[in-house]
Amino acid sequence: MTAQIQVASTGWSEKSIHERKTERTWKDTDSKTSVQSYDYLGGHWDHLSKTVSLSPKNRAKLESADLDTLSILNAESLFGRLNFASILLQLPPAKYYPAMKWYRRLANRVALGQADFEYPVTVRGIVRHSIKTWIHDALIASSPPIKPPVS
């Protein structure tokens, strides 16, 4: 009933709504009239190869990450970017478990009031290696080819 009221209030028929949904399909376009690649939402979208990689801005921020002078606030920013890269590029999260566990402990300390965001932290051993591997993988990775939606 609600859907019928919404359709009636917009003046669209159910047929026109269905037509609008089916109009949005994956089509090859003339290469002279469309953009082949662009940066959007932190990713670099390449339509020729149908892949996604990190945008230059995100790459620069990951490359400049300094693990020697890291505060909890910087660690939060770094881990946000790395998680975003993992989702965008479909990186396996289990590979970076030591780094995730270490960050979760930091976040818990802040949540419990045991440390503030400016608290300096030390990154050593397996955690340091895990973070460096994660950054390296995010910088060189590109998503698997994007497949057109099934219509």
Side-chain angles (χ1 to χ4, degrees):
M1 185 69 169
T2 306
Q4 292 173 346
I5 293 170
Q6 289 174 348
V7 169
S9 67
T10 60
W12 294 350
S13 68
E14 288 183 32
K15 182 181 177 188
S16 67
I17 290 174
H18 179 71
E19 287 172 357
R20 286 177 182 264
K21 286 181 183 177
T22 57
E23 284 175 6
R24 296 183 183 147
T25 58
W26 187 284
K27 296 179 182 175
D28 289 329
T29 59
D30 182 16
S31 63
K32 294 178 185 174
T33 61
S34 65
V35 177
Q36 300 302 319
S37 64
Y38 54 92
D39 293 335
Y40 181 66
L41 294 176
H44 180 76
W45 304 78
D46 186 354
H47 287 276
L48 288 176
S49 63
K50 294 183 172 69
T51 58
V52 181
S53 59
L54 287 179
S55 69
K57 180 181 173 183
N58 273 342
R59 283 179 179 281
K61 289 194 176 182
L62 285 177
E63 287 170 348
S64 67
D66 184 12
L67 299 181
D68 295 325
T69 58
L70 200 62
S71 68
I72 293 178
L73 183 63
N74 294 342
E76 183 175 348
S77 175
L78 176 63
F79 274 77
R81 287 187 191 287
L82 289 172
N83 280 320
F84 170 77
S86 294
I87 293 167
L88 183 72
L89 305 173
Q90 301 175 15
L91 300 175
K95 186 175 178 181
Y96 317 110
Y97 179 75
M100 290 179 179
K101 184 177 178 182
W102 175 81
Y103 176 70
R104 189 171 50 242
R105 287 182 180 163
L106 285 180
N108 286 341
R109 289 181 72 183
V110 171
L112 295 172
Q114 297 173 349
D116 64 352
F117 283 112
E118 296 305 319
Y119 184 82
V121 293
T122 306
V123 185
R124 291 187 222 129
I126 188 127
V127 173
R128 187 179 192 86
H129 176 71
S130 180
I131 293 172
K132 285 187 171 190
T133 302
W134 200 355
I135 290 171
H136 176 265
D137 291 353
L139 291 174
I140 64 166
S142 182
S143 72
I146 302 168
K147 296 180 180 171
V150 178
S151 46

